[in-house]
Amino acid sequence: MLKNPGSPGFFYGRTPCIRQLSARGRASCSGTRPVGAFFGKGINHMALRAIIYKAELQIADMDRHYYADHALTIARHPSETDERMMARVLAYALYARDGIAFTKGLFEVDEPEVWVKSLTDEIDLWIDLGQPDDARIRRACGRAKQVVVLCYSSSCEVWWKQIASKLTRFTNLTVLQLPTETSQALAALADAHAVVDAGRQAVGLTGAYDA
């Protein structure tokens, strides 16, 4: 859980089967991913009007054979909700690899929320949140090798149906839907007083759309 400030806590989640649905009607299902995270006491101060959180993320992703600890510094924009902030942490955990980093996010509109850049400054991975318009997604697909959009609203399917036909040519695009009940549960973990039993809590993604 995220602490700001408060006593330390532990969060554990395993993502269930992720449904793959494309604009052309194909569907498939991927496996599960265990993710553990220990969030220590947060640092609550203003820097460029941001609230800064500190967290330790412990990842054991057996699907990708990725096992690592990450010390996170999360700058929360004044307008950012608990739900959105925790969606950022989840996106980071799901795609964690060498070089992954949070960007300036809402402080810089030309950057994604999370990215991976190569040593030559090329963007290997671009992760956006919410429901970006098709123009932004097209620009991202042109700039990055892989683009992921994590949508966490109940209206994700409506949004995707409106723009999917405009994005079918982008083979490097994946759109994931985080169920409303899951995003709300994640938001509750940002409460400074929340305590989570690692053995009984699970979070997950459902509904993924490939252009």
Side-chain angles (χ1 to χ4, degrees):
M1 75 199 66
L2 218 52
K3 297 297 186 179
N4 181 36
S7 59
F10 185 84
F11 160 75
Y12 176 83
R14 180 181 290 273
T15 64
C17 186
I18 300 175
R19 181 170 54 91
Q20 298 282 345
L21 178 65
S22 76
R24 293 175 290 276
R26 295 194 305 272
S28 64
C29 186
S30 65
T32 61
R33 296 181 183 180
V35 177
F38 179 84
F39 295 92
K41 291 183 178 180
I43 299 176
N44 188 0
H45 68 273
M46 301 303 288
L48 298 178
R49 299 187 63 207
I51 301 174
I52 305 301
Y53 290 79
K54 295 289 186 178
E56 293 293 331
L57 188 64
Q58 301 163 353
I59 301 172
D61 190 335
M62 292 178 286
D63 291 339
R64 297 188 297 134
H65 304 289
Y66 182 85
Y67 308 91
D69 295 342
H70 292 262
L72 305 184
T73 298
I74 305 164
R76 178 174 175 173
H77 191 277
S79 67
E80 187 171 37
T81 63
D82 289 343
E83 185 177 29
R84 191 179 192 281
M85 180 177 63
M86 295 304 289
R88 279 202 289 149
V89 175
L90 178 61
Y92 187 107
L94 289 173
Y95 287 90
R97 65 186 72 170
D98 291 343
I100 194 167
F102 289 117
T103 67
K104 296 178 183 178
L106 293 174
F107 290 96
E108 177 51 69
V109 296
D110 290 331
E111 294 181 356
E113 298 299 330
V114 180
W115 64 10
V116 176
K117 301 184 76 175
S118 70
L119 295 177
T120 57
D121 210 36
E122 294 180 334
I123 303 174
D124 291 331
L125 173 65
W126 173 296
I127 302 179
D128 260 337
L129 296 179
Q131 301 180 12
D133 59 34
D134 58 283
R136 178 178 173 85
I137 295 175
R138 286 198 301 270
R139 288 195 298 271
C141 288
R143 294 179 61 186
K145 294 180 181 179
Q146 180 185 11
V147 175
V148 176
V149 179
L150 178 60
C151 182
Y152 54 90
S153 168
S154 59
S155 60
C156 287
E157 292 189 22
V158 175
W159 159 76
W160 178 241
K161 287 178 181 178
Q162 292 174 342
I163 66 172
S165 62
K166 304 175 184 178
L167 302 169
T168 54
R169 67 187 178 91
F170 295 108
T171 58
N172 60 335
L173 171 64
T174 297
V175 181
L176 301 174
Q177 181 184 0
L178 187 63
T180 301
E181 60 273 17
T182 303
S183 63
Q184 292 174 349
L186 282 173
L189 300 183
D191 190 313
H193 303 292
V195 177
V196 179
D197 185 334
R200 296 194 296 271
Q201 290 291 334
V203 301
L205 292 173
T206 185
Y209 312 93
D210 282 339

